[in-house]
Amino acid sequence: MQLSASIFKAYDIRGIVPATIDEAVAEALGRAFGTVARSEGEACVAVGRDGRLSGASLSAALVRGLVAAGVEVIDVGMVTTPMLYFAASTLCSSGIQVTGSHNPRDYNGFKMVMAGRAIYGEEIQALRRMMEAENWSLQAGGQVRTVDVFEAYRDRIVGDIKLARPMKIVVDSGNGIAGASAPAILRAIGCEVTELYSEVDGNFPNHHPDPSKPENLRDLIAALRAGDAELGLAFDGDGDRLGIITREGNNIYPDRQMMLFARDVLSRVPGGTILFDVKCSQRLAPAIEAAGGQPLMYKTGHSLIKAKMKEVNSPLGGEMSGHMFFKERWFGFDDGTYAGCRLLEILSRSPDGSAVLNDLPSSFSTPELNVKCAEGEPHALVDKLVATARFPAPAIVNTIDGLRVDWPDGFGLIRASNTTPVLVMRFEGHTPEALHRIEAEMLALLRTVKPGAVVDEAAH
């Protein structure tokens, strides 16, 4: 079959419906994934979908393909991506979530777990080749059963989380799928919850469900200022990422959240290796070391982080984008609802949760910045930068994922996104002057390989 190669990303499949992803693509994926699953001894695959408008038809097509490959499908319906991961951790060990994550509303895609691992890279390309050649193996015996995982998922979280006191919070689900489950779970652990945009609506009529972009947090900040809640939580479109806002309206970026989580986890897992991605603050590694842990910086990407965590037996990982991975007390997958509950558990031990968050070490930093590029261009540009960039000591260059340069007073990062054709940049300084210097130096370097680069804050 004819496929658009661009939909096969580094750690998931994602594209525009119906231009590059349609029911035929979904059914072919089901046939290919089912064939590979059966070859690995996996007879059962869980399937879920987020709240996007194209989700029901794509999910039905995917299930048809899996059944044709002779697989037993557990259809968990409309759920967050973490709830699909939960099903693939408790009911079986493989699963596919139909989700466009935080991409614009006409996008959709597939996040995949095979035999307990999030698949990425070459495994995704192998599925592409099988779909193109249509050399899958079909057999009888496939069937579908429907399972509602909400109660088991809620009970697992409620049994794990213990708040020291009740907490009053505001939750903004951005009309994403988290609105159907997160507020109820947060109430069940002992929170008083004010809800914003919990109704699941794939048109996203209020704001885009992406808490990493500051403009999507305005309504949550306004609700906190108008009421007497002590904290705001924001979820992305498929519920695997979390944004945190203090009572005063401060955005506690995920790398600062990680300082708090690391301190807590390391109190029970002394000496543990804590994983974080190249976009995270320079302040994070020293905070992990101070709490008795081993910091390990790694590539951005939820599948990549999960695989590395397994490899080094890490109890906790996190990404600047808001993915938090708890292996200690949980399953190791990224889950915005569970991360929110863990945060509230820690903060409930103090009389003023916002004060605890505001006291975390901080720097002066940009939000994530994007430079739009042609399809395929970002990786080529980064390769050029890595090949030509020369920084004198005391600068330290890291090329594990793009180009990250650390100075004693801050860092700059330029990397290629693995989900959209953009360059991703982030700059941080211990002082405003350091931030300005680092940003200017890195942008000047960028313009040596892309002279007309337009830097766009919070681009979509």
Side-chain angles (χ1 to χ4, degrees):
M1 69 182 300
Q2 289 291 309
L3 291 168
S4 169
S6 68
I7 67 175
F8 295 88
K9 309 292 186 187
Y11 32 85
D12 51 31
I13 296 172
R14 215 179 292 183
I16 296 171
V17 181
T20 55
I21 287 184
D22 58 15
E23 290 178 38
V25 172
E27 186 163 350
L29 175 63
R31 291 176 172 214
F33 188 94
T35 298
V36 176
R38 289 194 60 84
S39 76
E40 293 200 16
E42 294 284 296
C44 172
V45 176
V47 172
R49 68 179 193 274
D50 70 12
R52 285 172 184 262
L53 304 175
S54 57
S57 61
L58 291 177
S59 177
L62 175 69
V63 168
R64 283 197 301 275
L66 288 163
V67 169
V71 166
E72 180 193 357
V73 175
I74 299 176
D75 186 348
V76 295
M78 201 158 65
V79 293
T80 63
T81 295
M83 288 169 73
L84 181 278
Y85 293 155
F86 177 79
S89 301
T90 56
L91 302 174
C92 56
S93 51
S94 296
I96 304 179
Q97 175 78 348
V98 181
T99 174
S101 188
H102 62 281
N103 282 96
R105 68 184 187 181
D106 53 345
Y107 279 69
N108 216 328
F110 309 91
K111 291 182 180 176
M112 298 165 284
V113 177
M114 179 79 75
R117 66 185 187 277
I119 68 169
Y120 63 92
E122 176 51 34
E123 289 192 272
I124 290 177
Q125 294 306 317
L127 288 172
R128 173 182 64 83
R129 291 191 293 272
M130 186 182 288
M131 290 163 71
E132 285 173 339
E134 300 186 17
N135 61 349
W136 41 60
S137 168
L138 305 184
Q139 61 184 80
Q143 56 178 310
V144 187
R145 61 188 173 102
T146 304
V147 176
D148 184 343
V149 295
F150 172 72
E151 285 189 11
Y153 174 74
R154 178 199 62 203
D155 292 350
R156 174 67 177 77
I157 294 176
V158 172
D160 179 72
I161 300 290
K162 298 285 177 281
L163 295 194
R165 60 181 176 84
M167 297 186 74
K168 201 168 190 176
I169 60 173
V170 182
V171 174
D172 184 342
S173 300
N175 300 107
I177 188 61
S181 56
I185 290 168
L186 289 160
R187 287 191 180 99
I189 66 165
C191 292
E192 185 181 327
V193 181
T194 300
E195 297 182 47
L196 297 179
Y197 315 136
S198 293
E199 183 187 349
V200 179
D201 183 347
N203 291 303
F204 306 129
N206 294 290
H207 63 73
H208 204 70
D210 182 359
S212 71
K213 308 295 186 189
E215 71 269 23
N216 298 323
L217 299 167
R218 287 180 198 139
D219 294 346
L220 181 57
I221 290 169
L224 284 162
R225 285 183 178 150
D228 59 351
E230 63 178 296
L231 202 67
L233 274 60
F235 296 105
D236 77 333
D238 65 333
D240 59 7
R241 294 190 296 136
L242 174 71
I244 297 290
I245 301 293
T246 66
R247 180 194 292 121
E248 303 81 15
N250 296 328
N251 186 351
I252 305 298
Y253 284 104
D255 49 2
R256 292 179 77 202
Q257 297 172 32
M258 277 291 291
M259 297 173 192
L260 198 65
F261 289 139
R263 212 182 291 161
D264 179 59
V265 168
L266 289 165
S267 70
R268 293 179 297 276
V269 190
T273 298
I274 308 297
L275 230 72
F276 54 93
D277 77 320
V278 293
K279 293 196 273 187
C280 286
S281 170
Q282 205 178 54
R283 303 282 198 188
L284 178 54
I288 292 166
E289 286 171 341
Q294 303 288 322
L296 180 58
M297 186 163 70
Y298 197 58
K299 300 173 187 179
T300 293
H302 66 94
S303 299
L304 310 180
I305 295 272
K306 278 179 276 204
K308 191 69 175 175
M309 283 179 68
K310 278 189 179 174
E311 182 191 320
V312 301
N313 195 26
S314 167
L316 173 71
E319 287 189 285
M320 191 62 201
S321 59
H323 291 274
M324 296 288 159
F325 313 85
F326 290 89
K327 185 72 179 101
E328 190 245 2
R329 291 168 45 184
W330 192 241
F331 300 92
F333 58 72
D334 35 335
D335 187 335
T337 299
Y338 181 72
C341 291
R342 287 282 288 253
L343 184 89
L344 292 163
E345 179 182 70
I346 296 165
L347 298 180
S348 73
R349 299 172 195 148
S350 302
D352 185 349
S354 278
V356 173
L357 293 171
N358 289 329
D359 284 346
L360 293 168
S362 66
S363 289
F364 298 88
S365 63
T366 62
E368 189 171 301
L369 303 170
N370 294 159
V371 175
K372 286 195 179 82
C373 297
E375 193 73 52
E377 185 187 12
H379 287 279
L381 290 173
V382 167
D383 288 345
K384 262 191 216 171
L385 286 173
V386 168
T388 59
R390 295 289 178 270
F391 292 92
I396 298 168
V397 175
N398 184 313
T399 57
I400 193 168
D401 182 4
L403 178 70
R404 175 167 165 149
V405 186
D406 279 79
W407 286 271
D409 57 353
F411 81 91
L413 171 74
I414 304 175
R415 62 177 289 276
S417 167
N418 286 317
T419 54
T420 42
V422 298
L423 288 173
V424 174
M425 299 187 296
R426 186 156 189 258
F427 309 112
E428 173 183 277
H430 295 188
T431 63
E433 295 75 22
L435 171 61
H436 183 71
R437 186 197 82 241
I438 290 167
E439 185 169 2
E441 191 165 338
M442 295 293 282
L443 288 176
L445 176 69
L446 171 64
R447 292 197 167 106
T448 65
V449 297
K450 189 172 174 65
V454 177
V455 179
D456 199 353
E457 185 178 318
H460 240 307

